[in-house]
Amino acid sequence: LVSLRDPKYDSSGRLLTSITLVNVSDGTTTDLDHAEQIQLIGWVNTTIIYEEETALNPASFSIVSYNYATSSRDLLATSSQFNSAFVAGGSVYYSVPATASTSADGFFVTKPDGSGKQTIINHDTWTVLRNSYSAMSIQTSSGWYNYKMGDASAATENTPSSFENKLYIDSPDGKHSAWINTSNGKTQLLVYNTISGKDTVLVTPAGLSYPLRWLDNNTLVYRVTNNQGSFDYIVSLDGGATKKISDVINVSGYAAGS
């Protein structure tokens, strides 16, 4: 939960944003952090990854992970500016432009615990577009690059034909990933099988939107917003009818890569 509920303030009297983990089984909570701004990036198994802003001069941004199974907190990266930050295939990717004053610019990947950090591109990186589950188009000051997850480096490419940036949400076991496709004004909730490489359409309701959330490896929660309000529904990969589970206030979830 990211909120302004806690009565904590910075030195100038500004109310700080808090991030809190809620155990849905027993209602207990764990306060993780307070900062000027906090943005959720995603989950990898029992680890949540988020970006926080600290009001310094210049402002400082940090990418942080917290593993609730081990109660361990890791600082993954710090910079005066990130152009993108997202989770893909169990790793954390982020890009830094040359205008960042406190860190090296480029495109990087790291494990959620901060291990295995790699530099994919070592210069000014502007935009990262995730154009399929495993492939990304990266715009830099020297042109476009194409990167496939797991590769050690990126290869140069022409300007991509599409500038769509897809937001995938992986299941806990990593075997499936949910995403929303919008085409000709219509929306589809699809699940990508990371083993076969094939997409399956689950539902196609009008007003379909993020956030998406996996309850387990086969059950997915999605949101529908229309002129009657916002509602969360549940759908199973095993089939069967969808079911409305709650009326909700429509707030944003994870941010797309950039």
PDB file of all heavy atoms in Angstrom, residues 59-88:
ATOM      1  N   ALA A  59      17.524  16.466  -6.336  1.00  0.00           N
ATOM      2  CA  ALA A  59      16.738  15.352  -5.827  1.00  0.00           C
ATOM      3  C   ALA A  59      17.456  14.034  -6.093  1.00  0.00           C
ATOM      4  O   ALA A  59      18.177  13.878  -7.077  1.00  0.00           O
ATOM      5  CB  ALA A  59      15.356  15.343  -6.470  1.00  0.00           C
ATOM      6  N   SER A  60      17.261  13.083  -5.214  1.00  0.00           N
ATOM      7  CA  SER A  60      17.875  11.767  -5.351  1.00  0.00           C
ATOM      8  C   SER A  60      16.785  10.716  -5.460  1.00  0.00           C
ATOM      9  O   SER A  60      15.817  10.723  -4.700  1.00  0.00           O
ATOM     10  CB  SER A  60      18.767  11.473  -4.142  1.00  0.00           C
ATOM     11  OG  SER A  60      19.289  10.169  -4.211  1.00  0.00           O
ATOM     12  N   PHE A  61      16.943   9.813  -6.424  1.00  0.00           N
ATOM     13  CA  PHE A  61      15.998   8.725  -6.619  1.00  0.00           C
ATOM     14  C   PHE A  61      16.709   7.399  -6.348  1.00  0.00           C
ATOM     15  O   PHE A  61      17.861   7.220  -6.733  1.00  0.00           O
ATOM     16  CB  PHE A  61      15.438   8.736  -8.044  1.00  0.00           C
ATOM     17  CG  PHE A  61      14.640   9.966  -8.369  1.00  0.00           C
ATOM     18  CD1 PHE A  61      15.262  11.120  -8.805  1.00  0.00           C
ATOM     19  CD2 PHE A  61      13.256   9.968  -8.224  1.00  0.00           C
ATOM     20  CE1 PHE A  61      14.535  12.253  -9.100  1.00  0.00           C
ATOM     21  CE2 PHE A  61      12.515  11.099  -8.515  1.00  0.00           C
ATOM     22  CZ  PHE A  61      13.151  12.250  -8.964  1.00  0.00           C
ATOM     23  N   SER A  62      16.001   6.484  -5.711  1.00  0.00           N
ATOM     24  CA  SER A  62      16.567   5.178  -5.389  1.00  0.00           C
ATOM     25  C   SER A  62      15.618   4.075  -5.809  1.00  0.00           C
ATOM     26  O   SER A  62      14.398   4.220  -5.692  1.00  0.00           O
ATOM     27  CB  SER A  62      16.845   5.057  -3.882  1.00  0.00           C
ATOM     28  OG  SER A  62      17.767   6.038  -3.445  1.00  0.00           O
ATOM     29  N   ILE A  63      16.188   2.982  -6.298  1.00  0.00           N
ATOM     30  CA  ILE A  63      15.422   1.767  -6.565  1.00  0.00           C
ATOM     31  C   ILE A  63      15.737   0.789  -5.445  1.00  0.00           C
ATOM     32  O   ILE A  63      16.906   0.462  -5.202  1.00  0.00           O
ATOM     33  CB  ILE A  63      15.772   1.178  -7.940  1.00  0.00           C
ATOM     34  CG1 ILE A  63      15.425   2.176  -9.047  1.00  0.00           C
ATOM     35  CG2 ILE A  63      15.021  -0.125  -8.167  1.00  0.00           C
ATOM     36  CD1 ILE A  63      15.866   1.739 -10.426  1.00  0.00           C
ATOM     37  N   VAL A  64      14.689   0.347  -4.763  1.00  0.00           N
ATOM     38  CA  VAL A  64      14.851  -0.425  -3.539  1.00  0.00           C
ATOM     39  C   VAL A  64      14.055  -1.724  -3.659  1.00  0.00           C
ATOM     40  O   VAL A  64      12.989  -1.759  -4.294  1.00  0.00           O
ATOM     41  CB  VAL A  64      14.348   0.378  -2.324  1.00  0.00           C
ATOM     42  CG1 VAL A  64      14.515  -0.417  -1.031  1.00  0.00           C
ATOM     43  CG2 VAL A  64      15.071   1.718  -2.236  1.00  0.00           C
ATOM     44  N   SER A  65      14.573  -2.789  -3.067  1.00  0.00           N
ATOM     45  CA  SER A  65      13.828  -4.044  -2.989  1.00  0.00           C
ATOM     46  C   SER A  65      13.672  -4.472  -1.539  1.00  0.00           C
ATOM     47  O   SER A  65      14.528  -4.185  -0.701  1.00  0.00           O
ATOM     48  CB  SER A  65      14.532  -5.149  -3.789  1.00  0.00           C
ATOM     49  OG  SER A  65      15.751  -5.520  -3.172  1.00  0.00           O
ATOM     50  N   TYR A  66      12.552  -5.145  -1.265  1.00  0.00           N
ATOM     51  CA  TYR A  66      12.322  -5.677   0.076  1.00  0.00           C
ATOM     52  C   TYR A  66      11.741  -7.086  -0.058  1.00  0.00           C
ATOM     53  O   TYR A  66      10.717  -7.285  -0.716  1.00  0.00           O
ATOM     54  CB  TYR A  66      11.367  -4.803   0.876  1.00  0.00           C
ATOM     55  CG  TYR A  66      11.070  -5.356   2.259  1.00  0.00           C
ATOM     56  CD1 TYR A  66      11.961  -5.154   3.306  1.00  0.00           C
ATOM     57  CD2 TYR A  66       9.913  -6.105   2.506  1.00  0.00           C
ATOM     58  CE1 TYR A  66      11.708  -5.683   4.573  1.00  0.00           C
ATOM     59  CE2 TYR A  66       9.657  -6.633   3.758  1.00  0.00           C
ATOM     60  CZ  TYR A  66      10.564  -6.415   4.790  1.00  0.00           C
ATOM     61  OH  TYR A  66      10.319  -6.939   6.039  1.00  0.00           O
ATOM     62  N   ASN A  67      12.413  -8.053   0.561  1.00  0.00           N
ATOM     63  CA  ASN A  67      11.977  -9.442   0.542  1.00  0.00           C
ATOM     64  C   ASN A  67      11.290  -9.739   1.870  1.00  0.00           C
ATOM     65  O   ASN A  67      11.944  -9.794   2.921  1.00  0.00           O
ATOM     66  CB  ASN A  67      13.170 -10.378   0.338  1.00  0.00           C
ATOM     67  CG  ASN A  67      12.760 -11.829   0.146  1.00  0.00           C
ATOM     68  OD1 ASN A  67      11.753 -12.287   0.679  1.00  0.00           O
ATOM     69  ND2 ASN A  67      13.558 -12.563  -0.622  1.00  0.00           N
ATOM     70  N   TYR A  68       9.957  -9.909   1.845  1.00  0.00           N
ATOM     71  CA  TYR A  68       9.244 -10.099   3.102  1.00  0.00           C
ATOM     72  C   TYR A  68       9.507 -11.475   3.713  1.00  0.00           C
ATOM     73  O   TYR A  68       9.315 -11.675   4.917  1.00  0.00           O
ATOM     74  CB  TYR A  68       7.749  -9.848   2.932  1.00  0.00           C
ATOM     75  CG  TYR A  68       6.992 -10.860   2.096  1.00  0.00           C
ATOM     76  CD1 TYR A  68       6.608 -12.087   2.626  1.00  0.00           C
ATOM     77  CD2 TYR A  68       6.607 -10.568   0.792  1.00  0.00           C
ATOM     78  CE1 TYR A  68       5.908 -13.007   1.872  1.00  0.00           C
ATOM     79  CE2 TYR A  68       5.895 -11.484   0.033  1.00  0.00           C
ATOM     80  CZ  TYR A  68       5.547 -12.695   0.580  1.00  0.00           C
ATOM     81  OH  TYR A  68       4.844 -13.608  -0.172  1.00  0.00           O
ATOM     82  N   ALA A  69       9.971 -12.438   2.913  1.00  0.00           N
ATOM     83  CA  ALA A  69      10.257 -13.774   3.449  1.00  0.00           C
ATOM     84  C   ALA A  69      11.503 -13.769   4.326  1.00  0.00           C
ATOM     85  O   ALA A  69      11.603 -14.551   5.281  1.00  0.00           O
ATOM     86  CB  ALA A  69      10.414 -14.777   2.311  1.00  0.00           C
ATOM     87  N   THR A  70      12.454 -12.891   3.997  1.00  0.00           N
ATOM     88  CA  THR A  70      13.707 -12.823   4.757  1.00  0.00           C
ATOM     89  C   THR A  70      13.872 -11.503   5.503  1.00  0.00           C
ATOM     90  O   THR A  70      14.873 -11.313   6.200  1.00  0.00           O
ATOM     91  CB  THR A  70      14.908 -12.997   3.811  1.00  0.00           C
ATOM     92  OG1 THR A  70      14.886 -11.957   2.823  1.00  0.00           O
ATOM     93  CG2 THR A  70      14.849 -14.343   3.107  1.00  0.00           C
ATOM     94  N   SER A  71      12.897 -10.593   5.338  1.00  0.00           N
ATOM     95  CA  SER A  71      12.942  -9.252   5.953  1.00  0.00           C
ATOM     96  C   SER A  71      14.209  -8.491   5.563  1.00  0.00           C
ATOM     97  O   SER A  71      14.758  -7.712   6.345  1.00  0.00           O
ATOM     98  CB  SER A  71      12.861  -9.354   7.486  1.00  0.00           C
ATOM     99  OG  SER A  71      11.647  -9.967   7.876  1.00  0.00           O
ATOM    100  N   SER A  72      14.673  -8.720   4.325  1.00  0.00           N
ATOM    101  CA  SER A  72      15.891  -8.057   3.853  1.00  0.00           C
ATOM    102  C   SER A  72      15.552  -6.929   2.889  1.00  0.00           C
ATOM    103  O   SER A  72      14.679  -7.061   2.033  1.00  0.00           O
ATOM    104  CB  SER A  72      16.818  -9.060   3.174  1.00  0.00           C
ATOM    105  OG  SER A  72      16.166  -9.700   2.094  1.00  0.00           O
ATOM    106  N   ARG A  73      16.253  -5.822   3.038  1.00  0.00           N
ATOM    107  CA  ARG A  73      16.055  -4.628   2.213  1.00  0.00           C
ATOM    108  C   ARG A  73      17.358  -4.342   1.479  1.00  0.00           C
ATOM    109  O   ARG A  73      18.428  -4.302   2.092  1.00  0.00           O
ATOM    110  CB  ARG A  73      15.659  -3.432   3.075  1.00  0.00           C
ATOM    111  CG  ARG A  73      15.368  -2.140   2.327  1.00  0.00           C
ATOM    112  CD  ARG A  73      15.009  -1.041   3.325  1.00  0.00           C
ATOM    113  NE  ARG A  73      14.586   0.180   2.685  1.00  0.00           N
ATOM    114  CZ  ARG A  73      15.402   1.137   2.257  1.00  0.00           C
ATOM    115  NH1 ARG A  73      16.719   0.988   2.410  1.00  0.00           N
ATOM    116  NH2 ARG A  73      14.934   2.230   1.706  1.00  0.00           N
ATOM    117  N   ASP A  74      17.289  -4.145   0.144  1.00  0.00           N
ATOM    118  CA  ASP A  74      18.487  -3.899  -0.652  1.00  0.00           C
ATOM    119  C   ASP A  74      18.318  -2.656  -1.503  1.00  0.00           C
ATOM    120  O   ASP A  74      17.268  -2.455  -2.134  1.00  0.00           O
ATOM    121  CB  ASP A  74      18.774  -5.094  -1.568  1.00  0.00           C
ATOM    122  CG  ASP A  74      19.180  -6.337  -0.793  1.00  0.00           C
ATOM    123  OD1 ASP A  74      20.295  -6.330  -0.234  1.00  0.00           O
ATOM    124  OD2 ASP A  74      18.384  -7.282  -0.736  1.00  0.00           O
ATOM    125  N   LEU A  75      19.354  -1.832  -1.521  1.00  0.00           N
ATOM    126  CA  LEU A  75      19.398  -0.656  -2.384  1.00  0.00           C
ATOM    127  C   LEU A  75      19.998  -1.084  -3.713  1.00  0.00           C
ATOM    128  O   LEU A  75      21.168  -1.459  -3.789  1.00  0.00           O
ATOM    129  CB  LEU A  75      20.241   0.444  -1.742  1.00  0.00           C
ATOM    130  CG  LEU A  75      20.410   1.740  -2.538  1.00  0.00           C
ATOM    131  CD1 LEU A  75      19.072   2.409  -2.770  1.00  0.00           C
ATOM    132  CD2 LEU A  75      21.366   2.679  -1.808  1.00  0.00           C
ATOM    133  N   LEU A  76      19.203  -1.049  -4.781  1.00  0.00           N
ATOM    134  CA  LEU A  76      19.645  -1.557  -6.072  1.00  0.00           C
ATOM    135  C   LEU A  76      20.353  -0.498  -6.910  1.00  0.00           C
ATOM    136  O   LEU A  76      21.293  -0.817  -7.639  1.00  0.00           O
ATOM    137  CB  LEU A  76      18.449  -2.117  -6.858  1.00  0.00           C
ATOM    138  CG  LEU A  76      17.620  -3.183  -6.149  1.00  0.00           C
ATOM    139  CD1 LEU A  76      16.542  -3.706  -7.081  1.00  0.00           C
ATOM    140  CD2 LEU A  76      18.495  -4.319  -5.645  1.00  0.00           C
ATOM    141  N   ALA A  77      19.900   0.758  -6.827  1.00  0.00           N
ATOM    142  CA  ALA A  77      20.508   1.824  -7.628  1.00  0.00           C
ATOM    143  C   ALA A  77      20.084   3.168  -7.086  1.00  0.00           C
ATOM    144  O   ALA A  77      18.995   3.313  -6.515  1.00  0.00           O
ATOM    145  CB  ALA A  77      20.097   1.704  -9.094  1.00  0.00           C
ATOM    146  N   THR A  78      20.965   4.155  -7.262  1.00  0.00           N
ATOM    147  CA  THR A  78      20.682   5.534  -6.860  1.00  0.00           C
ATOM    148  C   THR A  78      21.134   6.471  -7.964  1.00  0.00           C
ATOM    149  O   THR A  78      22.216   6.290  -8.536  1.00  0.00           O
ATOM    150  CB  THR A  78      21.404   5.893  -5.547  1.00  0.00           C
ATOM    151  OG1 THR A  78      20.969   5.019  -4.513  1.00  0.00           O
ATOM    152  CG2 THR A  78      21.091   7.330  -5.132  1.00  0.00           C
ATOM    153  N   SER A  79      20.304   7.478  -8.265  1.00  0.00           N
ATOM    154  CA  SER A  79      20.656   8.440  -9.297  1.00  0.00           C
ATOM    155  C   SER A  79      19.828   9.701  -9.099  1.00  0.00           C
ATOM    156  O   SER A  79      18.796   9.680  -8.409  1.00  0.00           O
ATOM    157  CB  SER A  79      20.396   7.852 -10.691  1.00  0.00           C
ATOM    158  OG  SER A  79      20.683   8.804 -11.697  1.00  0.00           O
ATOM    159  N   SER A  80      20.261  10.791  -9.711  1.00  0.00           N
ATOM    160  CA  SER A  80      19.445  11.997  -9.711  1.00  0.00           C
ATOM    161  C   SER A  80      18.333  11.916 -10.740  1.00  0.00           C
ATOM    162  O   SER A  80      17.433  12.761 -10.763  1.00  0.00           O
ATOM    163  CB  SER A  80      20.320  13.229 -10.006  1.00  0.00           C
ATOM    164  OG  SER A  80      20.924  13.113 -11.285  1.00  0.00           O
ATOM    165  N   GLN A  81      18.355  10.850 -11.580  1.00  0.00           N
ATOM    166  CA  GLN A  81      17.313  10.689 -12.588  1.00  0.00           C
ATOM    167  C   GLN A  81      17.325   9.267 -13.143  1.00  0.00           C
ATOM    168  O   GLN A  81      18.383   8.731 -13.465  1.00  0.00           O
ATOM    169  CB  GLN A  81      17.517  11.693 -13.735  1.00  0.00           C
ATOM    170  CG  GLN A  81      16.405  11.709 -14.771  1.00  0.00           C
ATOM    171  CD  GLN A  81      16.670  12.741 -15.856  1.00  0.00           C
ATOM    172  OE1 GLN A  81      17.658  13.464 -15.824  1.00  0.00           O
ATOM    173  NE2 GLN A  81      15.771  12.818 -16.813  1.00  0.00           N
ATOM    174  N   PHE A  82      16.146   8.652 -13.210  1.00  0.00           N
ATOM    175  CA  PHE A  82      15.950   7.407 -13.944  1.00  0.00           C
ATOM    176  C   PHE A  82      14.959   7.674 -15.069  1.00  0.00           C
ATOM    177  O   PHE A  82      13.929   8.313 -14.848  1.00  0.00           O
ATOM    178  CB  PHE A  82      15.393   6.296 -13.046  1.00  0.00           C
ATOM    179  CG  PHE A  82      16.342   5.819 -11.988  1.00  0.00           C
ATOM    180  CD1 PHE A  82      16.108   6.093 -10.649  1.00  0.00           C
ATOM    181  CD2 PHE A  82      17.462   5.084 -12.321  1.00  0.00           C
ATOM    182  CE1 PHE A  82      16.967   5.651  -9.662  1.00  0.00           C
ATOM    183  CE2 PHE A  82      18.343   4.629 -11.348  1.00  0.00           C
ATOM    184  CZ  PHE A  82      18.101   4.916 -10.011  1.00  0.00           C
ATOM    185  N   ASN A  83      15.251   7.187 -16.268  1.00  0.00           N
ATOM    186  CA  ASN A  83      14.298   7.323 -17.360  1.00  0.00           C
ATOM    187  C   ASN A  83      13.322   6.161 -17.422  1.00  0.00           C
ATOM    188  O   ASN A  83      12.238   6.288 -17.978  1.00  0.00           O
ATOM    189  CB  ASN A  83      15.022   7.452 -18.706  1.00  0.00           C
ATOM    190  CG  ASN A  83      15.361   8.890 -19.034  1.00  0.00           C
ATOM    191  OD1 ASN A  83      15.004   9.802 -18.300  1.00  0.00           O
ATOM    192  ND2 ASN A  83      16.049   9.099 -20.145  1.00  0.00           N
ATOM    193  N   SER A  84      13.715   5.030 -16.884  1.00  0.00           N
ATOM    194  CA  SER A  84      12.822   3.867 -16.838  1.00  0.00           C
ATOM    195  C   SER A  84      13.280   2.930 -15.743  1.00  0.00           C
ATOM    196  O   SER A  84      14.459   2.910 -15.371  1.00  0.00           O
ATOM    197  CB  SER A  84      12.795   3.141 -18.187  1.00  0.00           C
ATOM    198  OG  SER A  84      14.072   2.628 -18.502  1.00  0.00           O
ATOM    199  N   ALA A  85      12.323   2.148 -15.230  1.00  0.00           N
ATOM    200  CA  ALA A  85      12.624   1.125 -14.233  1.00  0.00           C
ATOM    201  C   ALA A  85      11.474   0.131 -14.251  1.00  0.00           C
ATOM    202  O   ALA A  85      10.312   0.515 -14.124  1.00  0.00           O
ATOM    203  CB  ALA A  85      12.786   1.733 -12.846  1.00  0.00           C
ATOM    204  N   PHE A  86      11.792  -1.158 -14.445  1.00  0.00           N
ATOM    205  CA  PHE A  86      10.733  -2.148 -14.546  1.00  0.00           C
ATOM    206  C   PHE A  86      11.298  -3.536 -14.240  1.00  0.00           C
ATOM    207  O   PHE A  86      12.512  -3.758 -14.250  1.00  0.00           O
ATOM    208  CB  PHE A  86      10.083  -2.132 -15.934  1.00  0.00           C
ATOM    209  CG  PHE A  86      11.039  -2.345 -17.081  1.00  0.00           C
ATOM    210  CD1 PHE A  86      11.219  -3.611 -17.625  1.00  0.00           C
ATOM    211  CD2 PHE A  86      11.751  -1.285 -17.625  1.00  0.00           C
ATOM    212  CE1 PHE A  86      12.093  -3.806 -18.674  1.00  0.00           C
ATOM    213  CE2 PHE A  86      12.626  -1.474 -18.680  1.00  0.00           C
ATOM    214  CZ  PHE A  86      12.806  -2.737 -19.209  1.00  0.00           C
ATOM    215  N   VAL A  87      10.379  -4.460 -13.966  1.00  0.00           N
ATOM    216  CA  VAL A  87      10.718  -5.857 -13.710  1.00  0.00           C
ATOM    217  C   VAL A  87      10.402  -6.669 -14.960  1.00  0.00           C
ATOM    218  O   VAL A  87       9.338  -6.513 -15.565  1.00  0.00           O
ATOM    219  CB  VAL A  87       9.921  -6.407 -12.516  1.00  0.00           C
ATOM    220  CG1 VAL A  87      10.100  -7.910 -12.398  1.00  0.00           C
ATOM    221  CG2 VAL A  87      10.350  -5.717 -11.228  1.00  0.00           C
ATOM    222  N   ALA A  88      11.320  -7.544 -15.351  1.00  0.00           N
ATOM    223  CA  ALA A  88      11.096  -8.421 -16.502  1.00  0.00           C
ATOM    224  C   ALA A  88      11.869  -9.723 -16.298  1.00  0.00           C
ATOM    225  O   ALA A  88      13.068  -9.689 -16.012  1.00  0.00           O
ATOM    226  CB  ALA A  88      11.535  -7.746 -17.799  1.00  0.00           C
TER     227      ALA A  88
END
